[in-house]
Amino acid sequence: MTTLNLNQARQRRGRWFAQVGGRHLVAVLAVLFSLFPIVFVVSAALNPLGTLSTTELVPTGGVSLDNVGGLFERTAFGRWFLNSLLIAGVAAFASVFLSALAAYAFSRMRFRGRRVGLLSLLLVQMFPQFLAIVAIYLIFGTITDLWPSIGFNTPWGLLLLYLGGALGVNTWLMKGFFDTLPRELDESATMDGASHAQVFFRIMLPLVAPILAVAGLLAFIGTINEFLMANVFLTSSDSKTLAVGMYGLLEGNERNNNFGIFAAGTLLTAIPTVLVFQFLQRYIVSGLTSGAVKG
């Protein structure tokens, strides 16, 4: 091969790396970076010794499921799991339903205070709910004395607390999606004698299924992973959620000894979120993009 051909080959390789190869390298590094914590947690969950000090990226001391058994024997993980599914599932459904009602009203109806209401929802979301933790704690202290079934250490009390801050973002996201639907649909249904409720439930909801799925997924993930508020309001072992209960495994001097069962618990905790994501994934792309077309 001549010197000219060698130079041309080097130039082609240089152009390929600059245009394509560099992107592949960055993608491979990003995948390795994201897989590292997952591989480490899986290795810790399968570590028969179950301690942080003996955990390695690639297990060399054997593989065992003792940490999974210890998780259910030494903790109330099953109860935490059911509590989290109940709270996250009901909170996601209720927040999506309430946000859809509000978004439909703001999108399709014209009434006094409409603009102020939209701006107020946006303004409230600028301040995290935890800023009002002292006031909320005092309120729930009184509620616990009067109605213990929705007070401290109950899933229904925490559920009410989550629903209080669930309208803002979802309402704006859904309103953008409702705005993309032609108003002729509403007018035709109204001319045929349909009420606002019939238009909403029979015509609008099926058409906005993608954004409902996206909002439901985001609400489910945010609720099942929430820790700060749940840690304040849930103190008894049977009422804790996964986030609060799993955090307790690493408190104090037990972090090293409980790391194996903690890792096993984190893997089991990810199962509901993965299943919900797989079930709703066909709606996610269209739901996230369509709502941003018109607001």
Side-chain angles (χ1 to χ4, degrees):
M1 183 178 295
T2 62
T3 303
L4 180 60
N5 292 335
L6 287 174
N7 292 333
Q8 292 177 346
R10 293 193 187 97
Q11 292 176 357
R12 284 195 296 268
R13 286 195 296 268
R15 286 195 299 268
W16 177 87
F17 184 82
Q19 297 175 1
V20 181
R23 300 176 184 176
H24 290 178
L25 179 61
V26 173
V28 170
L29 293 176
V31 170
L32 293 177
F33 181 79
S34 61
L35 287 178
F36 173 78
I38 300 176
V39 174
F40 185 79
V41 170
V42 172
S43 176
L46 299 177
N47 178 18
L49 298 179
T51 61
L52 177 60
S53 58
T54 59
T55 300
E56 299 175 346
L57 186 61
V58 179
T60 58
V63 174
S64 173
L65 296 178
D66 292 342
N67 290 323
V68 179
L71 178 66
F72 288 93
E73 293 174 1
R74 296 166 50 186
T75 68
F77 182 82
R79 184 68 180 177
W80 302 341
F81 196 88
L82 292 177
N83 290 340
S84 292
L85 288 182
L86 173 65
I87 295 174
V90 176
F93 176 81
S95 65
V96 169
F97 181 70
L98 294 176
S99 298
L101 292 175
Y104 175 73
F106 282 124
S107 176
R108 288 302 200 257
M109 302 177 184
R110 297 295 180 266
F111 50 89
R112 181 176 298 177
R114 173 178 174 273
R115 181 177 178 82
V116 175
L118 281 172
L119 294 178
S120 299
L121 284 176
L122 185 62
L123 180 63
V124 168
Q125 294 304 305
M126 296 175 61
F127 304 95
Q129 195 175 17
F130 194 75
L131 290 178
I133 186 63
V134 176
I136 294 175
Y137 188 88
L138 295 176
I139 292 173
F140 268 83
T142 304
I143 291 176
T144 303
D145 295 334
L146 299 177
W147 300 286
S149 59
I150 57 173
F152 290 124
N153 291 316
T154 62
W156 308 114
L158 186 61
L159 178 63
L160 291 175
L161 183 62
Y162 287 153
L163 291 180
L167 288 178
V169 176
N170 288 342
T171 300
W172 273 91
L173 189 64
M174 292 185 187
K175 177 186 176 299
F177 204 101
F178 276 111
D179 288 344
T180 63
L181 301 179
R183 292 184 176 274
E184 287 77 6
L185 295 174
D186 308 50
E187 297 171 357
S188 298
T190 303
M191 292 291 293
D192 293 335
S195 63
H196 287 299
Q198 291 173 325
V199 171
F200 176 74
F201 286 104
R202 296 187 178 183
I203 298 177
M204 291 298 161
L205 280 189
L207 295 177
V208 298
I211 198 61
L212 297 180
V214 172
L217 177 63
L218 296 177
F220 183 85
I221 294 175
T223 304
I224 203 171
N225 291 331
E226 202 280 327
F227 170 75
L228 293 176
M229 304 296 289
N231 190 45
V232 173
F233 286 86
L234 304 177
T235 56
S236 66
S237 179
D238 290 338
S239 66
K240 291 180 179 180
T241 59
L242 284 170
V244 179
M246 296 292 291
Y247 173 77
L249 295 177
L250 300 182
E251 282 186 313
N253 299 323
E254 296 298 321
R255 177 175 301 180
N256 182 60
N257 297 331
N258 291 336
F259 188 75
I261 62 175
F262 174 82
T266 57
L267 295 179
L268 296 177
T269 301
I271 293 177
T273 303
V274 172
L275 292 179
V276 172
F277 180 82
Q278 290 295 326
F279 180 73
L280 300 177
Q281 65 175 339
R282 59 176 177 164
Y283 299 110
I284 291 176
V285 175
S286 59
L288 286 174
T289 56
S290 297
V293 174
K294 183 179 179 181

